[in-house]
């Protein structure tokens, strides 16, 4: 028996590896994407231009923009319009479609001949006026689990054999479960991220290595209802994408596949929480410590480890990669239509928002725009990484580790914190944020560089006037906080900031009168465009000439068409800022004297000043992000400064537990975009609009 045991183990490992390869190969083949070319021809109409409308599911990727083949992801059920030329010929539609996906044409305006070409399939079909048509992509599965032939199939077989021979038998079930998880992810999600599968395998590996220690904890935890509810909430958040597709009907996942995926996610979440709790509890703390003191001791211990900074950097880059499908793609910003503002400059007119474009257009005379976009993106990522590292170091050296770590954890878990890196790259708001952080830090440190604020206030307003609502109140409040009747220098600096702000407002109002027309602006940008950016920026460029009355009316129209979007975005923002508001209220109550209390009140009002932009901004996430940035920056500077005399009591166990739930909720709610606090906010608003709007109307 002993002599045959190694042979049985090898056979077991080989069987597990082969089964794992077959499982993943099946899902890989079932979720394959095929190019589909759709051409259409109609009878020319001299009175009007014929339009062909197609409704695209989320998984369809259009690749015919500006003659450049790049992936462009669209939201659920987006209607795309094709305009016929004078001969009645529509532009070709090149899609990447999966099996079972549908492309719907709701109504043909006239007699239309449609040609569909996919692989060896090529057919024509004629449709009459007002007729609709739905094309469903159907391709048979491959005979082999992996759709590869020749040398690739031979290499795959050799890899399976070597893995089966070298993999220890006790780890073979982990490989099988990880392959099943990866295959389900490939099939159920629009974009596949291998990091999620790697994390799943790592969790199973850690669980196996510490199973004897975790076994007793599992028996204790399953009897706690609160712990089970937390596991369920986290598992549902991690499966929100296929669940939303199931409820909305955009791309419903088979229930028989969704159930095992949910079970695997729930097990992984359970094991991950148990393992993390085991290592967290293994850090020694003094006896009879309060929850706040224990949190301070454990966080301080972790941050003083040798690889703490490197581990933080890895977590940051991993988060960006998971939230941004094109993070490592050189065309990551190709379909970001908001890049048009970098193309107009003072060469056209002395107008607002043209300062950044003037610098960019000057640099584009010496470097390609593609290189400048890449350089700007990676410099932004590096700057945010440095900011995260500085936050970690400041917490490590602070006397209020518990409060600062909870505040930073909440802030860094918010999707809108990374809005301008993940889904809003190179928008002017990113420059405003960088300038706002620099000015606040220099003023708070009473550095000689704080006098650059007097120059940066008008410079930031020339980049974008929203600086006046987003970060200028925080800068003025910080200068007021530092000013003292005993220090004429700080008092003079505060007065100078007020004068610089007043001059900046007058300068902006004067430049606003020089705005060119939309046609002039689009024509100017198109002439300087090397990267087809203006192709996506037509709407953004056309509204530069509009006054604020237009923005208020536009906001009203948006709220009528999408009332739940504004409602859910505001709700998520209030939920994120509820604890910071409580901190502000505690700080306000602890101040003694009218002048110190008035200064604290000004800081508090400045932190929530970006809420005023909700009256004019349709893309809500911009003011929501600014409100979160201001609250965090001012509270972090205030609580981390020993000279401010702003000590607060340590957080209680209920506060810590509630904030941990909020962090998990925000962290796994998906990335933010221009209009929504997170993907979960967007999906919830879409479902509510789909249900409520027909009832209201």
């Amino acid at each position: 028996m002993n002599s045959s045991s190694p042979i049985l183990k090898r056979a077991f490992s080989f069987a597990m590896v082969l089964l794992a390869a077959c499982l993943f190969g099946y899902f890989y083949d079932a979720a394959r994407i095929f190019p589909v070319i759709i051409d259409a021809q109609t009878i020319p109409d001299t009175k009007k231009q014929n339009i062909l409308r197609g409704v695209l599911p989320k998984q369809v990727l259009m690749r015919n923009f500006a003659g450049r083949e790049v992936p462009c992801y669209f939201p659920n059920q987006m209607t795309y319009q094709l305009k016929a030329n004078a001969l009645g010929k529509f532009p070709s539609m090149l899609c990447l479609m999966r099996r079972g996906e549908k492309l719907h044409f709701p109504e043909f305006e006239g007699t239309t001949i449609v040609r569909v070409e996919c692989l060896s399939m090529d057919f024509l079909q004629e449709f009459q006026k007002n007729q609709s048509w739905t094309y469903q992509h159907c391709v048979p599965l491959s005979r082999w689990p992996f759709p590869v032939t020749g040398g690739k199939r031979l290499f795959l077989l050799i890899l399976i054999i070597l893995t089966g021979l070298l993999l220890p038998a006790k780890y073979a079930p982990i490989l099988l479960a990880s392959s099943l998880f990866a295959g389900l992810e490939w099939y159920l999600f629009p974009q596949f991220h291998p990091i999620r599968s790697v994390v799943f395998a790592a969790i199973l590996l850690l669980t196996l290595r510490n199973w004897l220690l975790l076994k007793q904890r599992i028996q204790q935890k399953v009897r706690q209802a609160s712990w089970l509810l937390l596991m369920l909430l986290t598992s549902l958040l991690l499966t929100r994408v296929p669940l939303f597709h199931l409820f909305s009907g955009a791309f419903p996942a088979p229930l028989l596949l969704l159930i095992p995926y949910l079970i695997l996610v729930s097990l992984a979440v359970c094991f991950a929480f148990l393992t993390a709790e085991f290592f967290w509890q293994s850090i020694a703390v003094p006896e009879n410590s309060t929850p706040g003191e224990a949190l301070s001791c454990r966080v301080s211990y972790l941050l003083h480890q040798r690889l703490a900074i490197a581990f933080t950097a890895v977590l940051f880059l991993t988060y960006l990669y998971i939230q941004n499908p094109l993070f490592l793609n050189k065309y990551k910003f190709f379909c970001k239509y908001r890049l048009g503002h970098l193309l107009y400059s003072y060469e056209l007119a002395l107008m607002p928002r043209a300062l950044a474009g003037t610098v960019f257009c000057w640099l584009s005379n010496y470097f390609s725009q593609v290189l400048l976009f890449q350089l700007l993106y990676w410099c932004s990522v590096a700057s945010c990484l440095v900011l995260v590292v500085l936050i970690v170091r400041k917490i490590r050296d602070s006397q209020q580790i518990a409060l600062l770590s909870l505040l930073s954890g909440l802030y860094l878990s918010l999707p809108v914190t990374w809005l301008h890196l993940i889904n809003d790259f190179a928008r002017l708001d990113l420059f405003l944020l960088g300038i706002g952080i620099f000015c606040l830090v220099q003023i708070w440190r009473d550095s000689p560089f704080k006098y650059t604020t007097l120059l940066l206030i008008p410079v930031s307003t020339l980049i974008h006037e929203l600086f006046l609502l987003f970060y200028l109140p925080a800068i003025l409040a910080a200068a007021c906080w530092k000013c003292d009747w005993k220090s004429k220098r700080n008092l003079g600096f505060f007065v100078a900031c007020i004068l610089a702000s007043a001059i900046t407002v007058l300068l902006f109002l004067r430049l606003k009168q020089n705005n060119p027309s939309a046609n002039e602006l689009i024509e100017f940008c198109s002439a300087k465009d090397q990267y087809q950016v203006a192709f996506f920026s037509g709407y953004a460029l056309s509204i530069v000439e509009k006054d604020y009355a237009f923005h208020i009316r536009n906001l009203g129209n948006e709220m009528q068409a999408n009332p739940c979007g504004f409602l859910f975005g505001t709700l998520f923002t209030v939920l994120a800022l509820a604890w910071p508001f409580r901190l502000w209220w505690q700080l306000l109550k602890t101040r003694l004297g009218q002048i110190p209390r008035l200064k604290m009140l000004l800081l508090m009002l400045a932190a929530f000043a970006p809420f005023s932009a909700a009256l004019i901004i349709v893309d809500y996430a911009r003011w929501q992000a600014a409100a979160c940035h201001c609250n965090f920056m001012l509270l972090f500077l205030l609580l981390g400064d020993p000279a401010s005399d702003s000590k607060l009591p340590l957080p209680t166990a209920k506060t810590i537990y509630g904030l941990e739930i909020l962090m998990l909720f925000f962290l796994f709610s998906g990335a933010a975009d221009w209009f929504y606090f997170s993907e979960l906010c967007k999906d919830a608003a879409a479902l509510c609009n789909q249900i409520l709007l027909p009832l209201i109307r």
Side-chain angles (χ1 to χ4, degrees), residues 190-225:
Q191 293 95 31
F192 174 73
H193 296 297
I195 287 186
R196 288 198 293 248
S197 301
V198 172
V199 170
F200 178 82
I203 291 173
L204 294 185
L205 182 61
L206 288 175
T207 303
L208 182 63
R209 294 174 64 91
N210 300 280
W211 176 249
L212 296 178
L213 298 173
L214 298 177
K215 185 177 179 180
Q216 296 178 352
R217 291 178 175 268
I218 294 177
Q219 298 174 356
Q220 298 173 358
K221 291 294 185 180
V222 293
R223 299 170 185 168
Q224 301 178 9

Side-chain angles (χ1 to χ4, degrees), residues 33 110 143 158 239 241 244 251 410 667:
I33 296 176
R143 294 182 178 180
I158 294 175
T239 57
V241 174
F244 172 73
F251 185 69
L410 178 62
L667 190 63

Side-chain angles (χ1 to χ4, degrees), residues 9-22 146 152-168 172 175:
K9 289 181 178 180
R10 289 300 98 211
F12 177 75
S13 297
F14 181 77
M16 290 292 101
V17 171
L18 183 61
L19 183 57
C22 291
F146 271 98
K152 292 182 179 179
R153 182 182 297 175
L154 180 61
F155 173 77
L156 185 61
L157 290 175
I158 294 175
L159 183 63
I160 292 173
I161 294 173
L162 290 178
T163 305
L165 293 176
L166 300 177
L167 183 69
L175 179 63

Side-chain angles (χ1 to χ4, degrees), residues 523-541:
E523 183 179 353
F524 178 84
C525 293
S526 300
K528 287 186 171 294
D529 191 5
Q530 302 174 5
Y531 195 48
Q532 289 80 34
V533 170
F535 182 85
F536 299 95
S537 304
Y539 173 75
L541 297 176

Side-chain angles (χ1 to χ4, degrees), residues 447-684:
S447 167
F449 292 102
K450 71 179 182 180
Y451 293 100
T452 59
T453 303
L454 302 176
L455 176 63
L456 291 176
I457 289 175
V459 166
S460 303
T461 307
L462 292 176
I463 293 175
H464 201 296
E465 65 272 16
L466 281 178
F467 184 82
L468 300 174
L469 295 178
F470 284 177
Y471 304 109
L472 182 60
I475 291 174
L476 294 178
C480 178
W481 176 266
K482 287 294 183 178
C483 79
D484 193 338
W485 294 111
K486 300 178 182 179
S487 176
K488 295 182 179 180
R489 182 169 57 89
N490 288 342
L491 181 60
F493 175 74
F494 174 58
V495 174
C497 286
I498 295 178
L499 293 176
S501 303
I503 295 173
T504 299
V505 172
L506 295 176
L507 176 63
F508 164 71
L509 294 176
R510 179 64 183 88
L511 294 180
K512 185 70 175 176
Q513 301 175 5
N514 299 334
N515 272 341
S517 65
N519 292 332
E520 291 176 333
L521 191 60
I522 294 175
E523 183 179 353
F524 178 84
C525 293
S526 300
K528 287 186 171 294
D529 191 5
Q530 302 174 5
Y531 195 48
Q532 289 80 34
V533 170
F535 182 85
F536 299 95
S537 304
Y539 173 75
L541 297 176
S542 64
I543 64 173
V544 172
E545 65 174 352
K546 305 295 184 180
D547 56 11
Y548 287 102
F550 165 81
H551 290 284
I552 295 176
R553 292 193 302 270
N554 195 25
L555 178 63
N557 297 331
E558 171 66 21
M559 291 182 66
Q560 290 180 358
N562 182 22
C564 294
F566 181 84
L567 177 63
F568 274 90
T570 305
L571 179 63
F572 274 56
T573 309
V574 170
L575 189 63
L577 297 180
W579 187 63
F581 178 81
R582 182 185 176 188
L583 292 180
W584 282 116
W585 190 253
Q586 290 177 339
L587 289 170
L588 188 61
K589 290 193 300 182
T590 56
R591 305 307 294 182
L592 300 177
Q594 292 184 351
I595 298 300
R597 185 168 294 181
L598 179 60
K599 288 183 177 181
M600 185 64 70
L601 180 61
L602 289 177
L603 282 177
M604 178 180 175
L605 294 177
F608 292 94
F611 274 86
S612 60
L615 300 175
I616 59 174
I617 298 180
V618 175
D619 32 1
Y620 314 120
R622 296 174 66 191
W623 65 262
Q624 295 164 4
C628 295
H629 293 317
C630 288
N631 271 273
F632 170 75
M633 288 187 293
L634 291 176
L635 280 174
F636 193 85
L637 291 172
L638 195 62
L639 296 175
D641 184 11
S644 65
D645 192 22
S646 302
K647 292 184 178 180
L648 292 177
L650 291 172
T652 62
K654 290 183 178 180
T655 301
I656 296 174
Y657 188 70
L659 288 174
E660 289 174 350
I661 294 177
L662 273 181
M663 292 177 198
L664 290 173
F665 176 76
F666 289 126
L667 190 63
F668 297 133
S669 64
D673 62 21
W674 307 299
F675 302 100
Y676 294 98
F677 191 93
S678 65
E679 288 182 1
L680 178 62
C681 176
K682 176 173 63 176
D683 294 343

